[in-house]
Amino acid sequence: MSHLSLELRARQADRMIAEPAVLVHLCSETDWARAQFDGELRPPSLAEVGFVHLSAPEQVHLPANRLYRGQSDLILLVCDPRLLGSPVRWEPGVPTDPASMLFPHLYGALPVSAVTRTVPYRPGVDGGFAVLPANFGTHGCG
C-alpha cells in the first residue's frame, strides 16, 4: 500500500478525502529539463520547508494564480501517487485557501519516474490560470 493511501486512510476518520487518480506539480520547463537530467525534482521548498508542493488537479489553479500569475513557461507534472516513493501528507494551504481544503505535500524529492506525462499550463489573456477540467487525469484526459 502506498504512503499516500495510508495517509489518506488515517485522515478519513476526520474528513472524507478521496484518493485522486493523479497529483500534479507546477514547474517551469527549465526546472523539468534539469530534473530529467538529475532523475528527480528538488524545488527550493524541499530545503526551505521540507516538502514538495503538490496539488490535486482541481486545486492547482489556486497556487498557480497566487505564485505564477502571467508566467507563460509552466508545465504540470502529472504524477502517479503510487510511484512517489516518499510520504504524502494532506495539509492546509495558506489562509486565503478555502478553510477545509487540504493540499498534498511530498516529503521527499519528486522522482522523474513518478511523472506519467507533462501538460503545458498557460495563463489566459488576463494572466490567470483556469480551473482544470473535472475529468483531468482520468482516462487519458488532460
Side-chain angles (χ1 to χ4, degrees), residues 23-47:
L23 295 174
V24 295
H25 176 76
L26 279 167
C27 72
S28 70
E29 293 167 350
T30 302
D31 289 344
W32 175 235
R34 186 177 310 116
Q36 289 177 292
F37 179 80
D38 294 340
E40 63 184 13
L41 182 70
R42 301 182 73 80
S45 68
L46 188 57

mmCIF file of all heavy atoms in Angstrom, residues 23-47:
data_model
loop_
_atom_site.group_PDB
_atom_site.id
_atom_site.type_symbol
_atom_site.label_atom_id
_atom_site.label_comp_id
_atom_site.label_asym_id
_atom_site.label_seq_id
_atom_site.Cartn_x
_atom_site.Cartn_y
_atom_site.Cartn_z
ATOM 1 N N LEU A 23 -1.753 13.269 -9.031
ATOM 2 C CA LEU A 23 -1.406 14.528 -8.371
ATOM 3 C C LEU A 23 -0.581 15.320 -9.372
ATOM 4 O O LEU A 23 0.024 14.746 -10.281
ATOM 5 C CB LEU A 23 -0.607 14.269 -7.094
ATOM 6 C CG LEU A 23 -1.349 13.537 -5.989
ATOM 7 C CD1 LEU A 23 -0.407 13.210 -4.839
ATOM 8 C CD2 LEU A 23 -2.530 14.366 -5.488
ATOM 9 N N VAL A 24 -0.555 16.633 -9.219
ATOM 10 C CA VAL A 24 0.193 17.458 -10.145
ATOM 11 C C VAL A 24 1.144 18.379 -9.394
ATOM 12 O O VAL A 24 0.916 18.736 -8.234
ATOM 13 C CB VAL A 24 -0.732 18.287 -11.075
ATOM 14 C CG1 VAL A 24 -1.532 17.383 -11.986
ATOM 15 C CG2 VAL A 24 -1.654 19.192 -10.282
ATOM 16 N N HIS A 25 2.218 18.719 -10.084
ATOM 17 C CA HIS A 25 3.190 19.684 -9.573
ATOM 18 C C HIS A 25 3.437 20.705 -10.670
ATOM 19 O O HIS A 25 3.616 20.338 -11.836
ATOM 20 C CB HIS A 25 4.502 18.993 -9.189
ATOM 21 C CG HIS A 25 5.558 19.953 -8.761
ATOM 22 N ND1 HIS A 25 5.535 20.564 -7.522
ATOM 23 C CD2 HIS A 25 6.648 20.428 -9.401
ATOM 24 C CE1 HIS A 25 6.583 21.371 -7.425
ATOM 25 N NE2 HIS A 25 7.268 21.305 -8.552
ATOM 26 N N LEU A 26 3.452 21.966 -10.310
ATOM 27 C CA LEU A 26 3.745 23.067 -11.240
ATOM 28 C C LEU A 26 5.231 23.347 -11.254
ATOM 29 O O LEU A 26 5.851 23.451 -10.188
ATOM 30 C CB LEU A 26 3.085 24.347 -10.727
ATOM 31 C CG LEU A 26 1.627 24.576 -10.990
ATOM 32 C CD1 LEU A 26 1.146 25.724 -10.130
ATOM 33 C CD2 LEU A 26 1.395 24.872 -12.444
ATOM 34 N N CYS A 27 5.794 23.475 -12.425
ATOM 35 C CA CYS A 27 7.180 23.924 -12.508
ATOM 36 C C CYS A 27 7.420 24.534 -13.883
ATOM 37 O O CYS A 27 6.594 24.420 -14.790
ATOM 38 C CB CYS A 27 8.167 22.800 -12.213
ATOM 39 S SG CYS A 27 8.317 21.533 -13.473
ATOM 40 N N SER A 28 8.567 25.162 -14.021
ATOM 41 C CA SER A 28 8.928 25.730 -15.321
ATOM 42 C C SER A 28 9.477 24.628 -16.215
ATOM 43 O O SER A 28 9.927 23.580 -15.735
ATOM 44 C CB SER A 28 9.975 26.835 -15.146
ATOM 45 O OG SER A 28 11.212 26.262 -14.758
ATOM 46 N N GLU A 29 9.459 24.894 -17.493
ATOM 47 C CA GLU A 29 10.026 23.943 -18.449
ATOM 48 C C GLU A 29 11.515 23.728 -18.166
ATOM 49 O O GLU A 29 12.018 22.607 -18.274
ATOM 50 C CB GLU A 29 9.806 24.453 -19.867
ATOM 51 C CG GLU A 29 8.338 24.474 -20.255
ATOM 52 C CD GLU A 29 8.042 25.249 -21.521
ATOM 53 O OE1 GLU A 29 8.935 25.960 -22.040
ATOM 54 O OE2 GLU A 29 6.899 25.153 -22.000
ATOM 55 N N THR A 30 12.216 24.779 -17.760
ATOM 56 C CA THR A 30 13.643 24.677 -17.437
ATOM 57 C C THR A 30 13.877 23.774 -16.230
ATOM 58 O O THR A 30 14.783 22.932 -16.235
ATOM 59 C CB THR A 30 14.230 26.080 -17.174
ATOM 60 O OG1 THR A 30 14.017 26.889 -18.330
ATOM 61 C CG2 THR A 30 15.701 26.023 -16.841
ATOM 62 N N ASP A 31 13.061 23.940 -15.187
ATOM 63 C CA ASP A 31 13.199 23.085 -14.000
ATOM 64 C C ASP A 31 12.927 21.620 -14.338
ATOM 65 O O ASP A 31 13.591 20.722 -13.815
ATOM 66 C CB ASP A 31 12.263 23.550 -12.888
ATOM 67 C CG ASP A 31 12.707 24.856 -12.260
ATOM 68 O OD1 ASP A 31 13.881 25.260 -12.446
ATOM 69 O OD2 ASP A 31 11.877 25.494 -11.582
ATOM 70 N N TRP A 32 11.963 21.366 -15.211
ATOM 71 C CA TRP A 32 11.658 19.999 -15.610
ATOM 72 C C TRP A 32 12.818 19.394 -16.407
ATOM 73 O O TRP A 32 13.197 18.242 -16.187
ATOM 74 C CB TRP A 32 10.356 19.930 -16.390
ATOM 75 C CG TRP A 32 10.038 18.576 -16.937
ATOM 76 C CD1 TRP A 32 9.780 18.272 -18.241
ATOM 77 C CD2 TRP A 32 9.936 17.348 -16.219
ATOM 78 N NE1 TRP A 32 9.525 16.917 -18.371
ATOM 79 C CE2 TRP A 32 9.618 16.333 -17.139
ATOM 80 C CE3 TRP A 32 10.090 16.993 -14.880
ATOM 81 C CZ2 TRP A 32 9.446 14.994 -16.783
ATOM 82 C CZ3 TRP A 32 9.926 15.660 -14.506
ATOM 83 C CH2 TRP A 32 9.608 14.688 -15.451
ATOM 84 N N ALA A 33 13.409 20.176 -17.287
ATOM 85 C CA ALA A 33 14.554 19.675 -18.059
ATOM 86 C C ALA A 33 15.711 19.311 -17.125
ATOM 87 O O ALA A 33 16.348 18.261 -17.289
ATOM 88 C CB ALA A 33 15.000 20.721 -19.084
ATOM 89 N N ARG A 34 15.953 20.135 -16.122
ATOM 90 C CA ARG A 34 17.008 19.854 -15.147
ATOM 91 C C ARG A 34 16.681 18.591 -14.353
ATOM 92 O O ARG A 34 17.555 17.747 -14.108
ATOM 93 C CB ARG A 34 17.190 21.043 -14.209
ATOM 94 C CG ARG A 34 18.372 20.896 -13.248
ATOM 95 C CD ARG A 34 18.589 22.127 -12.365
ATOM 96 N NE ARG A 34 18.619 23.355 -13.134
ATOM 97 C CZ ARG A 34 17.711 24.334 -13.007
ATOM 98 N NH1 ARG A 34 16.716 24.247 -12.155
ATOM 99 N NH2 ARG A 34 17.801 25.423 -13.737
ATOM 100 N N ALA A 35 15.433 18.440 -13.962
ATOM 101 C CA ALA A 35 15.023 17.253 -13.194
ATOM 102 C C ALA A 35 15.222 15.981 -14.008
ATOM 103 O O ALA A 35 15.646 14.953 -13.473
ATOM 104 C CB ALA A 35 13.563 17.390 -12.756
ATOM 105 N N GLN A 36 14.917 16.048 -15.290
ATOM 106 C CA GLN A 36 15.096 14.866 -16.137
ATOM 107 C C GLN A 36 16.569 14.455 -16.190
ATOM 108 O O GLN A 36 16.887 13.268 -16.196
ATOM 109 C CB GLN A 36 14.555 15.128 -17.538
ATOM 110 C CG GLN A 36 13.048 15.207 -17.563
ATOM 111 C CD GLN A 36 12.529 15.544 -18.933
ATOM 112 O OE1 GLN A 36 12.729 16.648 -19.429
ATOM 113 N NE2 GLN A 36 11.890 14.585 -19.559
ATOM 114 N N PHE A 37 17.453 15.410 -16.185
ATOM 115 C CA PHE A 37 18.886 15.120 -16.169
ATOM 116 C C PHE A 37 19.301 14.525 -14.822
ATOM 117 O O PHE A 37 20.063 13.568 -14.759
ATOM 118 C CB PHE A 37 19.680 16.399 -16.457
ATOM 119 C CG PHE A 37 21.155 16.198 -16.442
ATOM 120 C CD1 PHE A 37 21.814 15.654 -17.538
ATOM 121 C CD2 PHE A 37 21.903 16.547 -15.326
ATOM 122 C CE1 PHE A 37 23.183 15.456 -17.518
ATOM 123 C CE2 PHE A 37 23.274 16.359 -15.303
ATOM 124 C CZ PHE A 37 23.921 15.809 -16.406
ATOM 125 N N ASP A 38 18.748 15.092 -13.715
ATOM 126 C CA ASP A 38 19.112 14.667 -12.360
ATOM 127 C C ASP A 38 18.376 13.416 -11.896
ATOM 128 O O ASP A 38 18.788 12.784 -10.924
ATOM 129 C CB ASP A 38 18.828 15.791 -11.360
ATOM 130 C CG ASP A 38 19.705 17.014 -11.577
ATOM 131 O OD1 ASP A 38 20.774 16.898 -12.230
ATOM 132 O OD2 ASP A 38 19.320 18.099 -11.097
ATOM 133 N N GLY A 39 17.242 13.105 -12.531
ATOM 134 C CA GLY A 39 16.449 11.954 -12.118
ATOM 135 C C GLY A 39 15.416 12.264 -11.052
ATOM 136 O O GLY A 39 14.630 11.397 -10.674
ATOM 137 N N GLU A 40 15.414 13.491 -10.556
ATOM 138 C CA GLU A 40 14.432 13.903 -9.546
ATOM 139 C C GLU A 40 14.328 15.418 -9.536
ATOM 140 O O GLU A 40 15.239 16.117 -9.966
ATOM 141 C CB GLU A 40 14.814 13.389 -8.155
ATOM 142 C CG GLU A 40 16.130 13.940 -7.632
ATOM 143 C CD GLU A 40 16.546 13.355 -6.301
ATOM 144 O OE1 GLU A 40 15.967 12.345 -5.853
ATOM 145 O OE2 GLU A 40 17.463 13.924 -5.692
ATOM 146 N N LEU A 41 13.199 15.881 -9.038
ATOM 147 C CA LEU A 41 12.958 17.317 -8.908
ATOM 148 C C LEU A 41 13.084 17.671 -7.437
ATOM 149 O O LEU A 41 12.421 17.060 -6.586
ATOM 150 C CB LEU A 41 11.562 17.672 -9.435
ATOM 151 C CG LEU A 41 11.199 19.154 -9.412
ATOM 152 C CD1 LEU A 41 12.018 19.923 -10.443
ATOM 153 C CD2 LEU A 41 9.725 19.342 -9.675
ATOM 154 N N ARG A 42 13.938 18.640 -7.150
ATOM 155 C CA ARG A 42 14.153 19.114 -5.785
ATOM 156 C C ARG A 42 13.937 20.626 -5.767
ATOM 157 O O ARG A 42 14.896 21.387 -5.779
ATOM 158 C CB ARG A 42 15.546 18.764 -5.298
ATOM 159 C CG ARG A 42 15.849 17.281 -5.290
ATOM 160 C CD ARG A 42 17.236 16.967 -4.762
ATOM 161 N NE ARG A 42 17.331 17.147 -3.330
ATOM 162 C CZ ARG A 42 16.914 16.254 -2.426
ATOM 163 N NH1 ARG A 42 16.373 15.124 -2.819
ATOM 164 N NH2 ARG A 42 17.024 16.507 -1.152
ATOM 165 N N PRO A 43 12.673 21.063 -5.761
ATOM 166 C CA PRO A 43 12.422 22.509 -5.765
ATOM 167 C C PRO A 43 12.903 23.139 -4.460
ATOM 168 O O PRO A 43 13.120 22.444 -3.459
ATOM 169 C CB PRO A 43 10.906 22.605 -5.907
ATOM 170 C CG PRO A 43 10.386 21.311 -5.418
ATOM 171 C CD PRO A 43 11.441 20.286 -5.696
ATOM 172 N N PRO A 44 13.080 24.454 -4.444
ATOM 173 C CA PRO A 44 13.548 25.135 -3.233
ATOM 174 C C PRO A 44 12.714 24.817 -1.989
ATOM 175 O O PRO A 44 13.247 24.783 -0.880
ATOM 176 C CB PRO A 44 13.455 26.625 -3.593
ATOM 177 C CG PRO A 44 13.589 26.652 -5.084
ATOM 178 C CD PRO A 44 12.929 25.382 -5.566
ATOM 179 N N SER A 45 11.422 24.557 -2.159
ATOM 180 C CA SER A 45 10.573 24.268 -0.997
ATOM 181 C C SER A 45 11.045 23.040 -0.221
ATOM 182 O O SER A 45 10.846 22.956 0.993
ATOM 183 C CB SER A 45 9.117 24.078 -1.416
ATOM 184 O OG SER A 45 8.966 22.896 -2.179
ATOM 185 N N LEU A 46 11.684 22.100 -0.891
ATOM 186 C CA LEU A 46 12.145 20.898 -0.199
ATOM 187 C C LEU A 46 13.178 21.257 0.862
ATOM 188 O O LEU A 46 13.106 20.763 1.994
ATOM 189 C CB LEU A 46 12.693 19.879 -1.198
ATOM 190 C CG LEU A 46 13.043 18.507 -0.648
ATOM 191 C CD1 LEU A 46 11.855 17.851 0.044
ATOM 192 C CD2 LEU A 46 13.562 17.613 -1.768
ATOM 193 N N ALA A 47 14.115 22.142 0.532
ATOM 194 C CA ALA A 47 15.112 22.590 1.507
ATOM 195 C C ALA A 47 14.522 23.593 2.502
ATOM 196 O O ALA A 47 14.877 23.585 3.683
ATOM 197 C CB ALA A 47 16.310 23.206 0.795
#
